[in-house]
Amino acid sequence: MDSVLPIVEQDEWLKPVEGELNYRHRLYQDKLREIVASSGSISDYANGYNYYGWQYDGILKGWWFREWLPGAHDVYLFGDFNSWQRTELRLSKDRNGVWSIFLPDAMYGDRLTHGSLYKIHVHGDNGWLDRIPAYATRVVQDEQTKDYTAQFWIPQPFDWGEDAKFDRKGENLLIYEAHVGMAQEKEGVGTYVEFTKKILPKIKKAGYNAVQLMAIAEHPYYGSFGYHVSSFFAPSSRFGTPEELKALVKRAHELGIAVIMDIVHAHYVKNLNEGINQLDGSDHLYSRPGEAGNQPYWDSKTFDYGRPEVQHFLLSNVKYWLDEYHFDGYRFDGVTSMLYYHFGYTEFDCREKFFDGGVNRDAITYLTLANHLVHEYRPAAVTIAEDVSGMPGICIPEADGGIGFDYRLGMAIPDFWIKYLKEIPDEDWNIWEMWSQMTNRLPAVKTVAYAESHDQALVGDKTIAFRLMDKEMYFSMNRASENLIVDRGMALHKMIRLFTIATGGQAYLNFMGNEFGHPEWIDFPREGNGWSYKHAQRLWSLSTNGFLRYSWLADFDKAMVKLIRKYNVLSAGYPYNLMMDEQNKTMVFSHGKLLFVFNWHPTASIPDYILPVPEPGKYKLLLSSDEARFGGQERNDPQVEHFSFPNECEDGITRHYMQIYNTSRTAMVFKKYR
């Protein structure tokens, strides 16, 4: 009989499904034992990138090339090193479906050199096709033909210096989500070098201690935001070279910034010319056969997580980016799609939805193994799940019966703000519902809170700033202008972000430019916009122009992040609700050492407002969204000292209070000094 897993001991709600949880845990343990028995450890097992593709043999003096293609009838290697002769170099197949060839230095040493271009010519059930190998570490696009080709990339070893010692564990995690290509102000594709020189200093100055990079793995369509991956081991060449990406990571670490990769293991691009779909001629190499291998909502292919070779491919990919590029962890994209055969397109309105036949147990096993691998190989690394379903155990350690992620994205939070901003006038906002939405999470589920991400910045949607101020952003953001819509928008933009970071989770995320209310949406070059880069950029100059209000929003965000970091608010447990005044739309709560007061009312500014404090003493104002330096009216003097006073309540208990000027549409943060 199975012992009770800690995940069940900690949550009585899971008692009825204890058997299923035990079964899932056994599947994971059995697979891990199998891996350890065969390879010694999961870290040693996940070394596919050191076996497949190009590997130098120092004894035989030459290069091996290997690729797993069990369904192929014939495989050839060709490239500029053999004058593109497709059927000259035939590979041999072993019993495991691995094709290989050895090219001795004596014959190819002068021809197969760093930068050589190559492909494989595969004869499968789908005919004869020129393909890019699955383990290619660099893929480049021809400017004239637009075709993608693999590149033999064997540079001098990269000098990491002391980089291996970088460790950001123990800090509050404050993530700056960014896209290298659209991070520049120019109308064009930004580079790793430009990001290193221009954007990393901005992130450092803004106070964030982690950058989450989107679109790193190679993808043929720029407008996919990097989510239709074609080559899983190749960093996108449209941004520069692999060494330039490594230099970006190294520089980020020197600045004290962790680098998290947005990794896509939920699906892959259908394209035959660029991707791994039907690479051996079959429809079930990396996917399940037939319709089961499709992701119909995303027009892409899904992985067969139960196939050992696919598990090995994906786990090797997880280790590869940690090992080769020193990434500090992953935001796993599309986890909900992975967890369920229906890809999460259902209402999760009962417990059974998390434990019935719609759940992909193989995906759960894979994700648990992936988390185990990350934390074994790089204990300081962090993993974040993009799961909207709320799968029980998603952030519970593997040893306790969970899937093992460190954090889950609080995806309901931006949805909540969108709903309120679209449907409800702010004078009707329900402060109890707002509080509940921000704090409704299990203690063991560490949440990355965010008011908006790249999703809300895309064309067809709107950022918070644009929802609040709309077209007025184009005409009335001058500091000298007077506009009630902009005044309201500025005030609520600051309050929403401070409320989210102060109450919504144990980590926080911001998408680049949103901190200063970037007015433009994201629209990648496409046929519908004339292949324009006009909206695939970030207008940083708006936040540094001393005549515009954007800089006030940026300054507030910087002060907010600094305050949260200084007082370790995110690691201080749950906020504690001290008072909810529905009539005046005012909420008072403490979080760690700080006292927060939010007055959401459009007009009610109340002198000598009495509010409870967590303990007696002298309180001073540390931060106010109404300060003049943030574009506010500065109706409170930050130098004023607020002394608490006792009052015996009806229940006979003496509580302590203080008085403030409770100004409308203002968030204030106080701290007790003695």
Side-chain angles (χ1 to χ4, degrees):
M1 182 176 178
D2 292 313
S3 58
V4 179
L5 290 169
I7 186 177
V8 178
E9 288 182 330
Q10 296 163 12
D11 190 349
E12 282 293 318
W13 187 76
L14 295 175
K15 196 70 178 173
V17 292
E18 181 179 3
E20 172 64 16
L21 286 167
N22 279 326
Y23 183 64
R24 293 178 185 181
H25 190 57
R26 282 200 303 274
L27 290 175
Y28 155 69
Q29 286 184 315
D30 290 347
K31 185 62 183 179
L32 183 61
R33 275 194 291 267
E34 177 187 322
I35 287 171
V36 172
S38 67
S39 304
S41 72
I42 194 169
S43 296
D44 292 327
Y45 170 77
N47 277 332
Y49 58 95
N50 288 324
Y51 179 76
Y52 293 104
W54 293 102
Q55 307 296 335
Y56 190 74
D57 191 323
I59 297 175
L60 298 179
K61 302 299 181 185
W63 289 93
W64 284 100
F65 177 82
R66 303 183 185 93
E67 187 78 11
W68 176 62
L69 300 164
H73 308 310
D74 272 304
V75 180
Y76 294 86
L77 178 68
F78 70 110
D80 57 10
F81 60 90
N82 78 331
S83 301
W84 298 101
Q85 296 298 309
R86 282 184 173 85
T87 56
E88 179 183 66
L89 301 173
R90 187 178 188 276
L91 280 66
S92 301
K93 181 182 180 181
D94 69 13
R95 63 180 182 177
N96 296 315
V98 177
W99 294 78
S100 63
I101 190 172
F102 179 73
L103 302 183
D105 288 344
M107 295 179 63
Y108 293 94
D110 293 335
R111 290 184 281 169
L112 183 63
T113 58
H114 176 61
S116 293
L117 300 175
Y118 72 96
K119 284 189 175 183
I120 52 176
H121 192 50
V122 182
H123 179 206
D125 290 344
N126 58 354
W128 289 89
L129 294 173
D130 298 341
R131 303 299 301 269
I132 293 173
Y135 280 87
T137 57
R138 180 160 166 82
V139 178
V140 294
Q141 186 178 28
D142 185 276
E143 290 185 7
Q144 277 72 43
T145 67
K146 303 303 179 184
D147 287 338
Y148 282 85
T149 308
Q151 192 167 27
F152 183 74
W153 198 255
I154 313 294
Q156 292 297 314
F158 185 80
D159 181 12
W160 284 104
E162 297 293 306
D163 189 77
K165 296 180 180 179
F166 179 78
D167 182 353
R168 57 135 300 276
K169 278 265 175 137
E171 288 187 76
N172 286 325
L173 184 60
L174 294 148
I175 305 168
Y176 200 85
E177 184 184 32
H179 183 285
V180 170
M182 58 169 287
Q184 305 304 316
E185 192 145 351
K186 67 181 182 182
E187 290 189 27
V189 180
T191 67
Y192 298 126
V193 171
E194 288 173 322
F195 193 93
T196 303
K197 291 181 178 179
K198 297 179 181 180
I199 309 305
L200 286 179
K202 294 181 188 296
I203 297 170
K204 174 69 173 179
K205 186 177 180 181
Y208 291 83
N209 58 19
V211 58
Q212 181 175 293
L213 292 181
M214 309 172 66
I216 292 299
E218 191 61 83
H219 49 288
Y221 180 45
Y222 190 47
S224 75
F225 236 139
Y227 291 124
H228 277 200
V229 174
S230 52
S231 296
F232 284 79
F233 291 84
S236 180
S237 60
R238 58 169 56 87
F239 308 137
T241 68
E243 287 64 51
E244 288 165 347
L245 174 58
K246 291 176 181 179
L248 186 162
V249 175
K250 181 179 179 181
R251 180 56 183 152
H253 289 170
E254 290 170 353
L255 293 171
I257 301 170
V259 187
I260 297 168
M261 179 178 171
D262 197 342
I263 198 167
V264 185
H265 283 182
H267 62 137
Y268 59 92
V269 73
K270 281 185 173 181
N271 303 29
L272 299 187
N273 290 334
E274 297 91 5
I276 61 175
N277 186 21
Q278 300 182 34
L279 193 57
D280 70 343
S282 74
D283 72 340
H284 54 274
L285 179 63
Y286 288 97
S287 297
R288 292 189 299 155
E291 191 58 35
N294 294 328
Q295 218 299 6
Y297 302 100
W298 299 344
D299 191 32
S300 56
K301 302 291 294 184
T302 60
F303 285 103
D304 181 358
Y305 301 105
R307 190 171 191 179
E309 296 87 351
V310 177
Q311 281 188 351
H312 183 245
F313 174 81
L314 293 174
L315 289 171
S316 296
N317 191 241
V318 167
K319 183 183 174 186
Y320 172 75
W321 295 104
L322 298 176
D323 182 20
E324 285 292 312
Y325 290 87
H326 290 208
F327 278 96
D328 301 294
Y330 300 107
R331 178 249 196 206
F332 277 77
D333 176 71
V335 168
T336 306
S337 178
M338 300 171 73
L339 291 173
Y340 307 94
Y341 291 118
H342 50 65
F343 311 113
Y345 284 81
T346 185
E347 291 294 327
F348 291 94
D349 49 7
C350 63
R351 177 173 44 217
E352 286 64 37
K353 292 287 184 71
F354 302 107
F355 300 100
D356 61 16
V359 175
N360 187 338
R361 288 170 173 160
D362 291 334
I364 290 177
T365 299
Y366 164 67
L367 287 169
T368 312
L369 290 168
N371 277 294
H372 183 91
L373 169 62
V374 169
H375 296 126
E376 176 182 283
Y377 183 70
R378 186 70 59 80
V382 64
T383 57
I384 303 167
E386 188 205 25
D387 173 35
V388 71
S389 74
M391 170 63 78
I394 195 79
C395 290
I396 300 294
E398 313 95 72
D400 293 343
I403 298 175
F405 283 97
D406 294 305
Y407 296 90
R408 170 181 171 247
L409 282 175
M411 301 174 71
I413 298 175
D415 290 344
F416 170 78
W417 288 124
I418 290 171
K419 174 186 173 184
Y420 258 43
L421 292 170
K422 282 177 65 175
E423 301 175 7
I424 306 172
D426 56 294
E427 59 265 26
D428 295 330
W429 286 4
N430 185 323
I431 60 173
W432 277 110
E433 184 179 13
M434 295 164 69
W435 176 264
S436 176
Q437 183 63 53
M438 294 298 140
T439 59
N440 184 20
R441 59 185 183 273
L442 294 172
V445 181
K446 293 172 69 176
T447 300
V448 178
Y450 61 105
E452 53 187 345
S453 68
H454 70 271
D455 288 325
Q456 289 72 43
L458 287 166
V459 64
D461 205 338
K462 291 183 179 181
T463 62
I464 287 176
F466 211 70
R467 287 191 185 280
L468 287 167
M469 295 176 277
D470 207 69
K471 66 180 185 298
E472 300 299 325
M473 297 190 75
Y474 297 115
F475 309 109
S476 303
M477 290 298 282
N478 190 297
R479 292 186 180 186
S481 67
E482 296 182 4
N483 187 295
L484 292 177
I485 293 175
V486 170
D487 289 344
R488 169 186 177 269
M490 292 278 293
L492 289 178
H493 191 273
K494 291 177 282 186
M495 293 181 71
I496 286 170
R497 300 174 78 78
L498 180 58
F499 186 51
T500 300
I501 197 173
T503 61
Q506 293 84 358
Y508 179 72
L509 178 142
N510 164 70
F511 179 66
M512 61 178 183
N514 284 356
E515 73 276 11
F516 64 83
H518 198 288
E520 295 285 2
W521 56 86
I522 298 163
D523 190 8
F524 286 99
R526 56 186 173 85
E527 188 174 0
N529 65 13
W531 302 103
S532 170
Y533 286 91
K534 181 175 177 58
H535 294 291
Q537 59 180 145
R538 295 283 90 180
L539 304 174
W540 302 104
S541 58
L542 295 176
S543 67
T544 56
N545 186 320
F547 300 104
L548 300 176
R549 301 190 190 201
Y550 296 101
S551 59
W552 284 336
L553 294 179
D555 289 343
F556 177 78
D557 194 83
K558 180 181 177 182
M560 174 186 81
V561 168
K562 182 179 180 180
L563 185 80
I564 295 298
R565 287 186 71 171
K566 181 177 181 179
Y567 294 101
N568 294 311
V569 174
L570 295 175
S571 56
Y574 277 83
Y576 184 77
N577 194 321
L578 295 168
M579 188 186 80
M580 298 292 263
D581 177 356
E582 294 183 75
Q583 180 179 348
N584 295 300
K585 300 293 181 188
T586 296
M587 53 175 66
V588 181
F589 61 90
S590 61
H591 199 171
K593 298 178 180 179
L594 303 181
L595 177 69
F596 294 82
V597 181
F598 281 79
N599 180 344
W600 299 93
H601 201 285
T603 59
S605 296
I606 310 160
D608 300 326
Y609 186 82
I610 298 176
L611 57 88
V613 296
E615 54 184 335
K618 179 181 75 175
Y619 288 79
K620 291 190 68 174
L621 183 63
L622 293 182
L623 178 69
S624 170
S625 62
D626 191 45
E627 291 180 56
R629 60 181 175 139
F630 308 135
Q633 301 173 54
E634 196 148 327
R635 290 167 286 179
N636 272 287
D637 183 351
Q639 301 305 316
V640 171
E641 297 176 338
H642 301 267
F643 292 89
S644 69
F645 56 89
N647 186 45
E648 186 174 332
C649 301
E650 293 180 359
D651 56 9
I653 299 176
T654 298
R655 294 181 173 85
H656 297 269
Y657 299 83
M658 74 178 188
Q659 289 183 326
I660 66 168
Y661 181 23
N662 184 19
T663 55
S664 61
R665 284 190 181 139
T666 301
M668 291 180 279
V669 186
F670 296 88
K671 182 181 181 297
K672 193 191 85 155
Y673 278 87
R674 60 176 174 83

